[in-house]
Amino acid sequence: EEVEEWRGAIARQQRVNAVFGVPLEDHLRASCRPDGLPMLVERCITEILNRGLEKEGVLRVGGSINRIQQLKRVFDVVGDAEVAAEPDVHTVVGLLKMYLRELPEPVIPSASYSAVVHALDGAESGEDVSEQQLGTLREVLGDLPDCNKRLLLEMLKLGAVIASEHQKNMMPALNVATVLGPNILRPEASRAEDAVIALVEAPLVNRACLALICHLESLEDVLHPNRASVMDEGAFYERYEVKLSGAGLEGTGSGRSARKERPLSMAYRHSVASQEGGASDPSSPSSLARVGSSAKSLRGTGEVERCQAIVDQTPESAEGWERLAAAFHDTHQYERALQAYDKAIELNPSNGQNYIRVGLISEMSGDFEKAKEYYTKCKKLAGGMIAQQMLQDLSRRMQEHTAASNRNSEVGSKDWEGSSNGRLSCGRESTGA
């Protein structure tokens, strides 16, 4: 009976905060990001750029289905999750692909499917596209809703950046297009479910996606609504020339022995971590601060000010404090976010989401005991099953952390003992001499 109550409560929360399977525009409006990207997309792209560009088969290799499902549930119940804490970047990629696949309308809406695919009729491959065909593509893409343009642009940029590192990740542009294409471009549901049609049209989808990636420089301006990009210069990437050479486009099946080199000038930026020298732990405070600078450019302090004004006018509104806490979180003011969530909990102690949010922030900041405390408090509230899973994951990570610390201590002790013995031995030898 209690389990059924939990399930009902979680289902009610999922209807309010659901991320997966919700129309893109509706989700952005509900999450107060009408001019932005879904938080899940931003977090996943950031982690892929930070940790996945040199991973072999980064888009192709599957991650942990169990972990993907767990992260999906957290996003649907809480509205956000700390993706940076996920150790396997392939799981992060899997989460992003699942989100794209479960959109009721694909990134390129089904109504535009035929126009995009058949704009390239006569093209031998996605790289060999005429100016007239590019012009047709520009017209079709220019008519997409702004929210779809923003998401499509970020996914194409990500694809182009991954393809530019094909010598390390073994994913040339065609491979990227083959994996990415079905996730952003598909026909109406009735046609997509027909196996024969899907088989026949798969090469058309791959060709279209390859064209979008290879010719992004010519299409970017029509996909660029006024907003900060996850990969905009000045946030934490710098411009440089990406060359999608013949080596990057091998295996397109055109039958030609060699391809003409086609340089593609577009925005590709190195992370601040690489600019500062060397890779860093993506879950470390310094890395979180770097991601925070991007979040500020994406949402800005204006949202904090608006939410603060609402709280000042209605200080007894738990929802107002939740929105303020979310704004602090998005600008990576974690201490203030925790304070605002605590106030929301004080005003509405039955909302299990806020306990999980405090737990996630505490866990991300390294305060495992506080995370454990808040997950435990949530166990008997709506969202209790999610909290139980979070507790189990946290306990496992705490055990791993303790074991690693013990191993490091043992190694350090042995090193010290060895060096001490060495010094004593040298002393004895010198005395004997």
Side-chain angles (χ1 to χ4, degrees):
E1 208 173 295
E2 187 178 359
V3 169
E4 289 304 317
E5 289 180 8
W6 280 354
R7 285 176 177 166
I10 290 173
R12 288 192 294 274
Q13 286 188 354
Q14 285 179 326
R15 284 194 291 272
V16 174
N17 296 294
V19 173
F20 286 79
V22 179
L24 179 58
E25 188 172 2
D26 292 351
H27 169 59
L28 291 173
R29 191 184 303 113
S31 57
C32 301
R33 303 170 67 85
D35 299 321
L37 291 169
M39 181 61 77
L40 179 147
V41 173
E42 287 188 3
R43 294 205 184 285
C44 289
I45 288 179
T46 297
E47 292 310 308
I48 294 167
L49 291 172
N50 282 345
R51 298 189 277 149
L53 293 183
E54 297 184 4
K55 290 280 186 180
E56 184 171 345
V58 58
L59 291 183
R60 185 181 65 250
V61 177
S64 165
I65 296 298
N66 288 338
R67 283 296 297 153
I68 291 171
Q69 291 292 348
Q70 287 177 2
L71 287 167
K72 176 185 176 180
R73 283 194 292 270
V74 173
F75 268 104
D76 274 340
V77 173
V78 181
D80 194 8
E82 192 47 55
V83 177
E86 172 54 49
D88 180 17
V89 74
H90 295 298
T91 295
V92 176
V93 174
L95 181 70
L96 177 59
K97 290 194 293 186
M98 178 178 284
Y99 171 76
L100 296 174
R101 284 196 306 271
E102 294 192 8
L103 283 172
E105 273 288 311
V107 182
I108 298 177
S110 299
S112 302
Y113 172 83
S114 293
V116 169
V117 167
H118 294 298
L120 301 174
D121 284 349
E124 186 176 354
S125 72
E127 60 166 332
D128 298 315
V129 177
S130 68
E131 290 300 322
Q132 182 178 352
Q133 289 168 326
L134 280 177
T136 304
L137 274 179
R138 287 175 57 85
E139 291 178 12
V140 175
L141 298 179
D143 289 336
L144 299 183
D146 280 355
C147 58
N148 294 71
K149 290 179 183 178
R150 287 190 294 269
L151 182 51
L152 177 61
L153 178 60
E154 294 304 317
M155 295 310 303
L156 294 177
K157 283 183 177 180
L158 177 64
V161 170
I162 290 172
S164 74
E165 298 288 343
H166 65 272
Q167 291 181 338
K168 297 175 182 176
N169 58 40
M170 304 302 174
M171 292 216 67
L174 180 62
N175 290 15
V176 172
T178 301
V179 176
L180 196 58
N183 290 289
I184 63 174
L185 178 65
R186 56 182 182 270
E188 297 83 355
S190 58
R191 287 169 55 79
E193 291 171 2
D194 189 311
V196 175
I197 292 177
L199 186 63
V200 169
E201 297 197 355
L204 303 181
V205 171
N206 297 345
R207 182 183 66 181
C209 190
L210 182 60
L212 293 175
I213 292 172
C214 290
H215 299 278
L216 182 55
E217 186 183 29
S218 301
L219 303 169
E220 185 173 359
D221 60 315
V222 298
L223 293 173
H224 215 302
N226 292 326
R227 71 172 296 276
S229 163
V230 176
M231 290 185 276
D232 262 353
E233 61 274 73
F236 56 123
Y237 299 95
E238 62 182 4
R239 280 194 177 272
Y240 89 121
E241 295 295 309
V242 176
K243 184 176 289 185
L244 297 183
S245 63
L249 294 168
E250 283 175 357
T252 56
S254 70
R256 284 182 294 175
S257 59
R259 291 192 174 276
K260 179 182 177 181
E261 191 172 6
R262 297 179 63 90
L264 172 65
S265 172
M266 62 162 294
Y268 172 59
R269 296 89 176 172
H270 291 295
S271 67
V272 168
S274 64
Q275 292 176 5
E276 292 175 350
S280 63
D281 179 1
S283 62
S284 68
S286 59
S287 293
L288 294 172
R290 288 194 288 273
V291 177
S293 67
S294 177
K296 286 184 180 179
S297 70
L298 292 167
R299 199 171 202 187
T301 56
E303 183 70 12
V304 171
E305 293 169 356
R306 284 191 292 273
C307 293
Q308 185 67 62
I310 292 172
V311 166
D312 292 342
Q313 293 174 5
T314 56
E316 300 305 313
S317 168
E319 184 179 355
W321 284 100
E322 288 175 21
R323 289 182 178 275
L324 179 60
F328 282 140
H329 181 275
D330 285 349
T331 52
H332 287 245
Q333 301 179 64
Y334 295 117
E335 287 300 322
R336 300 182 74 180
L338 289 172
Q339 293 169 8
Y341 276 130
D342 278 336
K343 183 64 177 178
I345 289 172
E346 177 187 329
L347 294 170
N348 182 12
S350 64
N351 186 350
Q353 298 176 72
N354 291 330
Y355 293 90
I356 295 178
R357 286 166 177 156
V358 171
L360 287 169
I361 295 174
S362 301
E363 192 174 341
M364 176 183 65
S365 304
D367 191 345
F368 295 146
E369 290 301 328
K370 184 171 184 177
K372 183 178 179 180
E373 174 191 349
Y374 276 78
Y375 291 150
T376 303
K377 288 179 179 179
C378 182
K379 284 173 65 176
K380 293 185 178 181
L381 301 174
M385 287 192 292
I386 295 292
Q388 182 64 40
Q389 290 179 347
M390 302 298 286
L391 266 174
Q392 292 172 355
D393 286 347
L394 176 61
S395 297
R396 176 180 53 79
R397 284 194 291 273
M398 290 175 71
Q399 291 172 359
E400 291 173 353
H401 178 75
T402 301
S405 298
N406 290 340
R407 285 196 298 271
N408 291 337
S409 298
E410 291 174 4
V411 170
S413 176
K414 289 179 181 179
D415 288 346
W416 183 87
E417 184 179 343
S419 62
S420 298
N421 289 339
R423 288 194 298 273
L424 290 172
S425 174
C426 289
R428 284 195 298 270
E429 288 173 3
S430 61
T431 302

